[in-house]
Amino acid sequence: MKALVVLACVVLAALATPTKPSLKEAKVVRVVPHTEEQLHHLHQLLLQGRYDFWQEPRGLNTPVDIMAALRDLPGLAATLSGRGLKPTVMIHDVGRLVEQQTVERLQHHTRAMDWHNYHDYNTINAWMAQLASDHPDLCQLEKVGTSYEGRTMNLLTVGSGGADKPGIFIDGGIHAREWISPATVTYMVNELVTNRDTYSDLLSSVNFYVMPSINPDGYQYTFTDDRMWRKTRSDTNSPFGCKGADPNRNWDFHWNEVGASSSPCSDIYAGSAPFSEVEMRVVRDEIIRLGSKIKVYLTFHSFSQLWMYPWGYTSALPDDWQDLDNLAQDAVSALTAVHGTRYEIGSSTNTIYAAAGGSDDWAKGVGGVKYAYTVELRDQGSYGFLLPASQIIPSGEETFEALKVVANFVKNTYSK
Ligand code: 0X9
Ligand code: ZN
């Protein structure tokens, strides 16, 4: 009897906790759909929610990257080959790569911030505090909120020209596993502040409002539990114990209309309601508070090397899309000139896929920020979310050139 009770408890516990398939020997495979039928099949596969799509289907002749656990590989291979899709392996053993990178990270671990390594949430926060205390005339750090699990969310303002100057709002890390995003954002802030004399002209004409890691609980979870976590970590009341919402489906503009899911177990779960996620309310409130001072909104993701503008909820373009496209072209030209890294430019629906509830659409559609961009940083799938730390500095260097173009544009267009 006792054994039965124990067994029942084990079974119940197993049912309550969603089993996370092991990353050991998991692979990322790439297929390129060449027919509408193949594309449709990949969309169906995406909807099933069985596999983790590192790059979702975008259109014909554009690669789709799918991660599958070892146990799911035969099934995936069968369904793909049934439609004449020939997979090539991009990453042979995701688990081993994660382990290798963890060992490397711990070997080079210093408590201090640097850009030779990825750093956790506390280290980023401590670095921001230090920067603000080292440069009180240039930087201001404010606590603007608290995450679901209780982590402090800070806004760093960088600028010497006073609060009335036009501003650029920059955030990173909305998706937890996209580690190059907070790393690149902090690199750029560090560059601006530690070489403040070089950029004194820009810094006196433009304010930079920066939140490098706006999904703190999810980000920290990728360091402690699951490197591939994307969402927030809020409770969802899912009977399967699934947690978190996709913070980039949670914004209140055409919320949950397209490219999002109402299932809490999905990686693109829109949340129980618009702005159900406290972290997104915090960022929203800062954008509202700063109001018309913000001329540009930049949100950094990875990966695929894309510089995108609204809309994400429709294939229609905003009336002023040509203005957004022009600035994106200039920014990307400067980016590419540094290391030859190529980026694609376009509206997000037309460049990747329709997905409503994104922060970029809200910034433009509700927040009134004319120039709203989502930037998908390096790479194009060789490492994907597991981009080696040795690419942080090159990514930072090239993205900083793009940011300078944007900042100079703001200065020349809006600064008196
Ligand atoms: O799907 C997303 O949220 C972004 N891509 S990612 O692979 N980093 O997840 C793209 C968002 C583009 N913007 C909107 N759809 N609004
Ligand atoms: Zn993302």
Side-chain angles (χ1 to χ4, degrees), residues 175 178 230 248-249 301-302 312 348 352-353 355 358 360-361 376:
H175 288 140
E178 298 166 7
R230 166 181 169 97
N248 210 34
R249 300 291 180 276
H301 289 244
S302 74
S348 69
I352 41 172
Y353 41 73
D360 49 0
D361 277 13
E376 300 275 5

Side-chain angles (χ1 to χ4, degrees), residues 156-167:
L156 182 71
T157 302
V158 181
S160 60
D164 290 339
K165 293 291 173 189

